[in-house]
Amino acid sequence: SIDIADGEWKLYAVPRQNNLLSFDVLTISFLGLVLAGTCGMFAKELASRSEELSRQVDEKILLLAKALREKETAMNRITDSVVSVDKEWRYTFLNDAALVTHPLGREKTICKVIWDVHPEMNGSVFQDRYHEAIQTQKVMEIESYYAPMNTWFFVRVYPSPEGLTIFYEDVSERKKAERQIATEKIFSDSVINSMPGIFYLYNKEGKFARWNKNFETR
C-alpha cells in the first residue's frame, strides 16, 4: 500500500490474461524442445557425414599413395633417365637412372631449380627447347652434345600444364660409332676413287652398291 495525500490507495499489478500467458509459455517451451531436438539431430548427422568424409579422404589418400608408388616403381625400371620439373622449373621427380647425372642425390635435388643444379645449361639448346615445350605444349626431341659432361644426349620432352617430364639417354657410344662409320666410308671412297679404271660392286639382286668416279664418267 502507498499513502497518498488525498486518501489511502492500494495499487495492484495483475496479468489481464493469465490463460493466454500460460499458453505462450507452453508454446515457446515446446518450440524450444523441437528446435533443440532438430539441432541435435542435425549435429549428429553432420558428425556422421564428417566421419564418412574423413574415411573417404583417407581412402583417396591411400589410393593416391599407392598409384604414386606404382608410378615410381615403373619409372625406376626404365633404363632411360627420367626427371620432372614444375612450372617454376623445380625438380619434382628423379628416377634411379637420372641419379647418375645428378650427383647431389634425390633428396638434395628435389625442389631445386634445374638451372641452379645445372647452371651450364643456361643458353644451351636444351634450355631453349624446354622453354619452347612449355610455351607450345608440344612434345620436343633433342639430340645434342653437352660439353660440361662430354656427352651426347637424346632427349624427349613431354609438356603438361603442370610442367615437364624429360626422358633422356646417353647416346655417346652410338654417335662415336656413327663417326667411325662415316670416317671409314670416307676412307673407302677415297681408296676406290683412286683406283685406275672402272670399279663397281653389285648385290645378289643385281643392284649397284659401290662404284668409283671412273664408272660415272664412262
Side-chain angles (χ1 to χ4, degrees), residues 44 90 119 121 134 139 162 164 173 175 188 199 201 212:
K44 182 179 179 181
R90 298 184 182 277
M121 202 180 293
I134 283 287
V139 176
E162 289 74 32
L164 296 178
E173 290 300 320
K175 297 297 290 187
S188 62
F199 174 85
L201 293 174
N212 64 358

Side-chain angles (χ1 to χ4, degrees), residues 169-204:
E169 59 178 320
D170 182 346
V171 294
S172 299
E173 290 300 320
R174 175 168 64 79
K175 297 297 290 187
K176 181 180 178 181
E178 289 176 356
R179 287 195 301 269
Q180 184 175 356
I181 291 173
T183 301
E184 291 175 354
K185 184 177 185 304
I186 292 173
F187 175 75
S188 62
D189 286 346
S190 177
V191 171
I192 291 173
N193 288 324
S194 65
M195 297 175 64
I198 298 174
F199 174 85
Y200 59 89
L201 293 174
Y202 57 89
N203 57 25
K204 294 180 179 180

Side-chain angles (χ1 to χ4, degrees), residues 63-82:
L63 290 174
L64 179 60
K66 181 181 178 181
L68 289 175
R69 287 195 301 270
E70 291 176 350
K71 176 185 175 182
E72 184 173 355
T73 300
M75 288 296 184
N76 285 329
R77 290 174 179 170
I78 297 175
T79 56
D80 288 0
S81 299
V82 184

Side-chain angles (χ1 to χ4, degrees), residues 68-85 91-107 109-110 118 153 156 164-170:
L68 289 175
R69 287 195 301 270
E70 291 176 350
K71 176 185 175 182
E72 184 173 355
T73 300
M75 288 296 184
N76 285 329
R77 290 174 179 170
I78 297 175
T79 56
D80 288 0
S81 299
V82 184
V83 301
S84 294
V85 296
Y91 283 96
T92 58
F93 174 79
L94 296 90
N95 74 342
D96 291 344
L99 297 178
V100 176
T101 52
H102 293 82
L104 292 178
R106 184 178 283 109
E107 293 183 0
T109 302
I110 293 294
H118 296 293
F153 286 107
R156 292 179 297 275
L164 296 178
T165 298
I166 305 166
F167 290 72
Y168 61 97
E169 59 178 320
D170 182 346

Side-chain angles (χ1 to χ4, degrees), residues 37-67:
T38 303
C39 290
M41 293 177 63
F42 178 74
K44 182 179 179 181
E45 179 68 16
L46 186 62
S48 63
R49 289 188 178 183
S50 178
E51 292 177 357
E52 177 64 18
L53 182 61
S54 297
R55 185 185 64 80
Q56 292 180 3
V57 169
D58 291 341
E59 289 180 354
K60 294 296 184 183
I61 290 175
L62 290 174
L63 290 174
L64 179 60
K66 181 181 178 181

